[in-house]
Amino acid sequence: MTSNPYPLGLRLHGRRVVVVGGGAVATRRVPALLDAGADVLLVAPELTPALRARVDAGRLHWVPRRFVPEDLDGAWLVHVAIDDPMAAASVSAVAAERRIFCVRADDRTAATAWTPAVTRHGPVTVAVLGGGDPRRAMTVRDAIRDLLAVRLAPDGIAGRPDASTGTTGGRQAGRQAGRVALVGAGPGDPELITVKGWRLLTEADVVVADRLVPGLLLDELRPDVELVDASKIPYGPSRAQEEINQILVDRALAGAFVVRLKGGDPYVFGRGGEELLACAAAGVPVTVVPGVTSSIAAPAAAGIPVTHRGVAHEFTVVSGHLAPDAPASLVRWDALAGLHGTLVILMGLKNLAAITATLIAHGRSPQTPAAVVQEATTGTQRVLRSTLGEVAADLRAADLRPPAVVVVGDVVGALDG
Ligand SMILES: C[S@@+](CC[C@H](N)C(=O)[O-])C[C@H]1O[C@@H](n2cnc3c(N)ncnc32)[C@H](O)[C@@H]1O
């Protein structure tokens, strides 16, 4: 007779879990065990490179030999991740003798514990058992994951504290906790937002979006979400920034979860730092979710790697919004001209003639390959290939417009066949 499994959430922090086997199955199982804080002992004559890297990093213990019963001393759980049914059966027999639950990759019916298909959403973990059929479990898990990510934003998920990187500030207990997430939306293709950024967006009460944010992301917001178009805020640039800071703080202090959605990465010429400081000064907790920056993605979308073995060992990202001779410019264009590597210039179209002339005047060859990538990763992407000496004139002739990234360096032709 088969009975239903009894679901449990094992709290493995600091507890010994033995994994027998060092191949593909172990490679997939070990990260979740480490994430749970388990004290993992890996028993296997050989390891995959991924497991070896974790051993080298000191994340787990490895005994490079076959299993012996003493390996289960002090263990709370054992994962058998080997193909050989005889060897697997002998491990599970030792485990049964010692009343240690045993997961078996080779034979689910002989196992005393099953691993579920899992989807994690911040502090919420959904684990699905498919009655012994892992495919069924995965299908159900995928459906739940999609629902949680796209359609549902229950208060229980949206209102929780977030333990991710870059969290700062704090509110008094007992008050409704508003907060802000600075989320990088990526360069243009709506699919280039991170999974975490997308999840937070679906949980937001208020979204404050920049001009360069992919429109399709906004299209999918819940109808009740307040959308603030930051590019429409009047006054000069610094006044507008103050206004945005104030909106973030006011809405969060009123209890809302505010997502500040910014093109590319929030900290790459994105003024994310100013927004974080404003929120921190008001005691509003902030989560920062990095994004795919156009400074790397735009060249990539045009077939240009920012580094390439034997071609460029460095890449420098620089803003061209001020002309090289502008008193307020913080860029040492003369020093940049002396570098051999890749130069990626953002916001540089208006001043491109002055920038290229300055680089050439300080020694960079006018023959250096150069490219301009406009509206990268979108359906309207355009790419111009030229040289440092010609690119400013070619740009005018081709009528390329912002947003665009200029790439200078031998990498521009590195992947040309
Ligand atoms: C204010 S900066 C913000 C950069 C952004 N935080 C990032 O990490 O990509 C705006 C500049 O980024 C570049 N940019 C942003 N999106 C772009 C895209 N899809 N294609 C080309 N350039 C882009 C352009 O140089 C534009 O003038």
Side-chain angles (χ1 to χ4, degrees):
M1 192 189 82
T2 47
S3 311
N4 283 327
Y6 179 73
L8 275 181
L10 297 185
R11 304 182 63 213
L12 293 176
H13 192 90
R15 303 202 160 104
R16 169 60 56 93
V17 176
V18 177
V19 178
V20 183
V25 175
T27 305
R28 287 178 53 184
R29 296 276 175 253
V30 162
L33 293 170
L34 294 177
D35 186 59
D39 166 25
V40 177
L41 175 73
L42 199 52
V43 184
E46 285 175 28
L47 298 185
T48 62
L51 286 171
R52 174 66 81 121
R54 291 180 193 278
V55 171
D56 291 346
R59 303 281 320 276
L60 47 87
H61 313 282
W62 174 37
V63 283
R65 55 160 169 70
R66 298 176 83 82
F67 174 80
V68 298
E70 291 70 35
D71 290 333
L72 295 194
D73 288 353
W76 292 66
L77 178 69
V78 56
H79 273 263
V80 184
I82 47 181
D83 295 333
D84 176 355
M86 298 282 284
S90 72
V91 179
S92 91
V94 177
E97 218 171 83
R98 298 177 176 219
R99 305 287 189 267
I100 301 168
F101 278 106
C102 179
V103 181
R104 279 181 66 169
D106 65 307
D107 185 353
R108 282 189 293 279
T109 56
T112 52
W114 288 338
T115 47
V118 171
T119 176
R120 293 182 175 84
H121 298 256
V124 175
T125 302
V126 180
V128 180
L129 294 170
D133 179 349
R135 275 175 200 278
R136 187 194 293 149
M138 276 188 263
T139 305
V140 174
R141 184 272 318 270
D142 288 349
I144 294 171
R145 181 184 56 199
D146 292 350
L147 271 174
L148 284 175
V150 181
R151 295 288 167 232
L152 296 183
D155 290 336
I157 293 178
R160 67 168 195 286
D162 196 311
S164 62
T165 51
T167 300
T168 184
R171 305 285 307 280
Q172 293 159 14
R175 290 171 63 189
Q176 193 190 8
R179 62 191 178 114
V180 169
L182 300 180
V183 175
D189 178 344
E191 292 200 313
L192 287 177
I193 191 171
T194 63
V195 173
K196 180 164 189 164
W198 173 243
R199 176 171 65 77
L200 294 185
L201 195 57
T202 64
E203 294 171 2
D205 303 310
V206 180
V207 174
V208 183
D210 267 347
R211 188 171 43 89
L212 286 181
V213 154
L216 276 181
L217 289 177
L218 305 178
D219 205 40
E220 302 196 22
L221 295 178
R222 294 192 324 275
D224 58 310
V225 171
E226 182 195 357
L227 178 61
V228 180
D229 183 347
S231 62
K232 293 232 175 84
I233 291 170
Y235 313 112
S238 69
R239 184 75 189 82
Q241 187 59 54
E242 276 172 38
E243 190 97 348
I244 292 166
N245 296 351
Q246 203 56 53
I247 290 171
L248 301 180
V249 167
D250 287 350
R251 299 292 199 282
L253 289 179
F257 174 37
V258 186
V259 166
R260 172 70 172 115
L261 192 63
K262 306 170 81 70
D265 180 275
Y267 283 167
V268 178
F269 307 131
R271 307 192 70 167
E274 292 164 63
E275 292 168 4
L276 179 125
L277 290 174
C279 291
V284 172
V286 180
T287 298
V288 180
V289 182
V292 175
T293 172
S294 66
S295 55
I296 298 172
I304 303 167
V306 288
T307 69
H308 193 63
R309 190 163 172 263
V311 176
H313 290 178
E314 85 225 356
F315 67 97
T316 308
V317 179
V318 57
S319 169
H321 77 290
L322 293 176
D325 61 358
S329 174
L330 299 176
V331 180
R332 286 275 313 278
W333 292 100
D334 56 333
L336 293 179
L339 299 177
H340 296 290
T342 309
L343 196 55
V344 181
I345 306 164
L346 269 58
M347 299 179 279
L349 294 200
K350 186 165 58 84
N351 295 316
L352 195 60
I355 288 169
T356 53
T358 305
L359 290 171
I360 292 168
H362 288 92
R364 191 103 197 214
S365 163
Q367 304 309 322
T368 310
V372 182
V373 191
Q374 173 188 312
E375 291 172 76
T377 77
T378 71
T380 47
Q381 172 174 310
R382 291 178 68 196
V383 182
L384 168 78
R385 283 162 184 269
S386 180
T387 60
L388 186 60
E390 305 283 335
V391 69
D394 289 350
L395 174 89
R396 275 196 303 279
D399 194 26
L400 259 62
R401 290 154 192 269
V405 159
V406 181
V407 194
V408 177
D410 291 334
V411 288
V412 168
L415 301 187
D416 294 350

